[in-house]
């Protein structure tokens, strides 16, 4: 009988439960449950419905029992930076506000009055993104101080769901680094920084590393589900899980975790917190096995997802790619890292307005709009890789794309064309696979990530795009 591991992978637009097992020397995946996700407006804020999300988590676990495939362990990964505050009774204070909410506007200035931007980067190595936890907490302090006064614990989104399952409070390492409050070199909370900012040290829990067995299910959940299992921490930040799923053991590549966001970078043993690195907008996030994921956050397929939504989801993503390929010669480009594309009321109009402001041809058709986005992404990838090569003092011969964005074949071709490098695409279920692999290593199914990655290469089809691409 196969041994099953359950990955609960929750993204900004959807979540899914995927069972993984090893059969005939390969990793086999089975999606058993899927649900929709998204921020909702509540009291003027963009929030996550954490109660509904936990109900989906439980429903997917129950599905395992229904189909007779009981996992030996499970772990949850999500996006980064967002959190809940718990009171003395472990009840959530306020709402789980989402990273696209505008409450952090101006909070960078508040933080930099206390600690200069350059020094903050030297300590944490984290790129300035206005949604980082540090700015969210400063907003709490300025606008909702009552919550911070009453709070006894801060748990990031996956930490909170793991706590609901086990009763154990920790802050997992890869997720914690997205806060911009972790010492990049020590891989622990920067308590001096936390005190300078006026946050209580006691809010922050023990930092736990991926692969740690957190515990068993709470007794009432064992009764509800009809079985017990281990809760094992994956890289709870989905980027870390996706990078663990890259099917390569050398160091001659850059990765792109491609989805709503495109995270482009390389794995390193030590962080780069230099001024050059900061000026080039690179970040040093935590990875599996205490690695540093040295990368840049790029807006990614959020823009295409939003364009599709503006058109009432009438077109599939494959159809949008086809329309873009037909309009391949459209010349206009946008800066995909510009904050104007973070949460516009209408993405199509925002793209048109950007082209007008910059004196470029305005896209009129879906194909032209999509080409503008895809080509802009590919050119941003090229600039970013050149920046990484300048920082690391070396070049990389290929790019590994993992995640659902790898299904955008037109973008893959543009990436090979723009960068002049081989583009290896797959596995597209990268985040869930990385989640499962961390559990498998913890259980002893693999001795280390190198052995796991060797099996990944045998288990999944990898498509290669050679350059030049015409």
């Amino acid at each position: 009988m196969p041994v099953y591991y359950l990955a609960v992978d929750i993204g900004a637009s959807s979540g899914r439960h995927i069972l993984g097992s090893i059969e005939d020397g390969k990793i086999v995946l089975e999606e058993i449950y899927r649900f929709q996700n998204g921020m909702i407006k509540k009291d003027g804020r963009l929030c996550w419905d954490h109660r509904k999300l936990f109900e989906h988590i439980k429903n997917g676990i129950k599905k395992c029992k229904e189909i007779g495939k009981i996992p030996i362990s499970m772990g949850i990964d999500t996006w980064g930076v967002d959190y809940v505050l718990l009171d003395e009774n472990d009840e959530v204070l306020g709402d789980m506000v989402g990273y696209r909410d505008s409450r952090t506007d101006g909070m960078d200035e508040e933080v930099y009055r206390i600690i200069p931007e350059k020094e903050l980067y030297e300590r944490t190595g984290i790129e300035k993104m206005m949604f980082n936890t540090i700015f969210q907490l400063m907003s709490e302090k300025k606008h909702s101080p009552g919550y911070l006064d009453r709070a006894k614990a801060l748990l990031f989104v996956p930490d909170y769901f793991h706590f609901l399952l086990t009763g154990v409070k920790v802050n997992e390492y890869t997720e914690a680094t997205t806060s911009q409050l972790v010492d990049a070199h020590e891989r622990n909370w920067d308590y001096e920084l936390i005190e300078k900012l006026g946050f209580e040290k006691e809010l922050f829990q023990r930092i736990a590393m991926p692969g740690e067995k957190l515990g068993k299910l709470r007794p009432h959940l064992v009764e509800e589900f009809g079985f017990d299992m281990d809760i094992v921490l994956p890289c709870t930040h989905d980027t870390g899980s996706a990078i663990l799923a890259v099917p390569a053991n050398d160091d001659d590549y850059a990765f792109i975790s491609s989805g709503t966001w495109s995270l482009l970078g390389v794995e390193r043993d030590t962080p780069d917190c230099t001024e050059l690195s900061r000026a080039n907008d690179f970040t040093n996030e935590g990875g599996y096995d205490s690695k540093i994921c040295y990368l840049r956050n790029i807006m990614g397929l959020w823009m295409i997802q939003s364009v599709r939504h503006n058109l009432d989801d009438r077109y599939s993503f494959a159809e949008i790619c086809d329309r873009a390929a037909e309009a391949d010669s459209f010349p206009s480009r946008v800066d995909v890292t510009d904050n104007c594309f973070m949460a516009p009321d209408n993405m199509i109009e925002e793209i048109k307005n950007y082209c007008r402001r910059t004196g470029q041809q305005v896209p009129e058709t879906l194909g032209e709009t999509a080409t503008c986005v895809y080509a802009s992404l590919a050119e941003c990838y090229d600039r970013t890789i050149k920046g990484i090569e300048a920082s690391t003092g070396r070049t990389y011969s290929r790019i590994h794309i993992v995640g659902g964005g790898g299904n955008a074949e037109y973008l893959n071709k543009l990436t090979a064309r723009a960068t002049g490098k081989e583009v290896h695409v797959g596995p597209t279920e990268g985040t869930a696979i990385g989640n499962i692999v961390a559990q498998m290593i913890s259980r002893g199914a693999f001795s280390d990530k190198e052995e796991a990655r060797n099996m990944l290469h045998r288990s999944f089809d990898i498509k290669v795009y050679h350059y030049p691409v015409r």
Side-chain angles (χ1 to χ4, degrees):
M1 287 288 291
V3 176
Y4 294 104
Y5 305 81
L6 177 63
V8 181
D9 173 28
I10 308 177
S13 59
S14 67
R16 61 267 181 89
H17 290 55
I18 294 180
L19 284 172
S21 59
I22 298 175
E23 301 176 29
D24 298 324
K26 294 183 178 181
I27 294 176
V28 177
L29 304 178
E30 180 183 359
E31 182 180 302
I32 61 168
Y33 186 81
R34 180 176 283 267
F35 56 94
Q36 295 301 306
N37 189 27
M39 297 181 201
I40 57 174
K41 274 280 189 180
K42 186 175 180 183
D43 300 326
R45 292 294 186 205
L46 288 171
C47 303
W48 304 105
D49 188 340
H50 59 86
R51 294 178 182 84
K52 186 174 181 181
L53 284 174
F54 190 58
E55 285 302 312
H56 280 301
I57 290 170
K58 293 198 296 180
N59 289 341
I61 294 172
K62 292 174 185 176
K63 189 71 175 178
C64 297
K65 178 75 169 179
E66 291 176 20
I67 65 176
K69 296 180 178 180
I70 307 300
I72 198 166
S73 68
M74 70 164 284
I76 301 170
D77 65 78
T78 75
W79 60 95
V81 306
D82 291 343
Y83 61 89
V84 294
L85 297 173
L86 301 183
D87 66 12
E88 59 186 4
N89 298 314
D90 292 330
E91 296 294 328
V92 175
L93 292 164
D95 297 306
M96 185 186 280
V97 180
Y99 62 87
R100 292 192 189 277
D101 187 75
S102 61
R103 68 173 177 164
T104 57
D105 290 353
M107 292 302 106
D108 51 343
E109 297 175 4
E110 298 291 334
V111 167
Y112 297 150
R113 287 193 186 102
I114 300 168
I115 180 165
E117 182 177 1
K118 182 179 178 180
E119 181 185 346
L120 181 61
Y121 188 85
E122 288 172 350
R123 299 173 79 128
T124 68
I126 297 297
E127 174 190 6
K128 175 188 174 180
M129 303 288 281
M130 282 307 301
F131 49 65
N132 288 349
T133 314
I134 189 172
F135 301 123
Q136 294 197 43
L137 284 172
M138 185 57 71
S139 177
E140 296 265 18
K141 183 180 176 183
K142 295 288 290 185
H143 304 303
S144 305
Y147 291 147
L148 279 177
D149 291 342
R150 294 165 55 198
K152 300 300 180 184
L154 179 148
L155 296 178
F156 296 98
V157 175
D159 297 333
Y160 176 59
F161 293 137
H162 284 139
F163 164 69
L164 292 179
L165 292 171
T166 65
V168 179
K169 297 183 187 127
V170 297
N171 294 137
E172 188 274 324
Y173 169 62
T174 66
E175 187 83 10
T177 60
T178 68
S179 68
Q180 209 171 359
L181 291 165
V182 169
D183 185 308
H185 296 278
E186 298 298 325
R187 293 165 171 77
N188 201 356
W189 294 115
D190 188 330
Y191 288 112
E192 182 182 12
L193 171 61
I194 286 167
E195 286 189 322
K196 279 185 176 183
L197 294 168
F199 307 143
E200 293 294 333
K201 291 194 300 183
E202 289 72 21
L203 286 177
F204 302 89
Q205 310 303 299
R206 174 179 67 86
I207 288 186
M209 289 294 176
E212 178 178 322
K213 178 182 171 181
L214 202 58
K216 296 281 190 177
L217 292 171
R218 294 190 190 211
H220 73 277
L221 292 175
V222 174
E223 183 176 354
E224 182 176 352
F225 300 148
F227 65 91
D228 200 359
M229 60 181 163
D230 293 334
I231 306 301
V232 175
L233 294 177
C235 298
T236 64
H237 185 210
D238 51 14
T239 300
S241 278
I243 293 165
L244 181 54
V246 172
N249 278 321
D250 63 347
D251 63 353
D252 190 24
Y253 68 89
F255 60 76
I256 301 176
S257 173
S258 181
T260 300
W261 288 87
S262 289
L263 297 309
L264 195 164
V266 295
E267 287 184 287
R268 303 181 68 165
D269 293 324
T270 57
D272 181 349
C273 302
T274 62
E275 178 59 17
L276 174 63
S277 181
R278 185 188 71 83
N280 286 332
D281 297 319
F282 290 113
T283 198
N284 296 267
E285 294 182 0
Y288 186 81
D289 208 17
S290 297
K291 285 285 190 178
I292 296 296
C293 301
Y294 185 67
L295 56 86
R296 187 180 184 194
N297 291 278
I298 300 168
M299 197 75 72
L301 294 175
W302 159 253
M303 295 178 68
I304 290 294
Q305 292 165 356
S306 298
V307 166
R308 180 172 180 262
H309 184 66
N310 291 157
L311 298 171
D312 299 321
D313 299 333
R314 295 195 306 270
Y315 300 91
S316 69
F317 289 116
E319 288 172 329
I320 293 174
C321 266
D322 290 342
R323 296 291 183 93
E326 292 169 1
D328 184 67
S329 61
F330 186 74
S332 299
R333 303 290 183 263
V334 298
D335 179 358
V336 294
T337 67
D338 195 300
N339 281 334
C340 70
F341 300 119
M342 179 64 70
D345 292 332
N346 186 296
M347 184 64 76
I348 294 174
E349 290 304 314
E350 195 66 43
I351 292 168
K352 289 181 177 181
N353 289 336
Y354 185 98
C355 290
R356 290 189 188 99
R357 290 196 304 271
T358 54
Q360 300 183 81
Q361 182 178 339
V362 176
E364 298 297 339
T365 67
L366 171 58
E368 290 175 348
T369 302
T371 295
C372 178
V373 173
Y374 285 130
S376 298
L377 270 174
E379 291 177 11
C380 184
Y381 294 165
D382 180 49
R383 292 191 298 272
T384 301
I385 288 173
K386 285 182 169 63
I388 290 172
E389 291 176 336
S391 290
T392 58
R394 56 167 301 180
T395 58
Y396 301 90
S397 68
R398 68 187 191 279
I399 302 166
H400 278 271
I401 298 178
V402 294
N407 290 317
E409 186 169 7
Y410 178 62
L411 177 57
N412 299 335
K413 291 178 179 179
L414 288 180
T415 301
R417 181 194 298 174
T419 63
K421 301 181 186 295
E422 281 188 2
V423 174
H424 294 230
V425 179
T428 55
E429 294 288 357
T431 304
I433 292 169
N435 183 323
I436 288 167
V437 163
Q439 296 179 57
M440 288 178 168
I441 295 173
S442 176
R443 184 73 183 181
F446 300 114
S447 59
D448 52 29
K449 73 176 183 181
E450 284 73 23
E451 184 181 356
R453 282 175 164 175
N454 285 334
M455 185 175 284
L456 287 176
H457 195 78
R458 298 194 302 270
S459 301
F460 302 99
D461 292 331
I462 309 299
K463 191 166 185 178
V464 179
Y465 295 82
H466 295 278
Y467 63 93
V469 177
R470 298 301 177 196

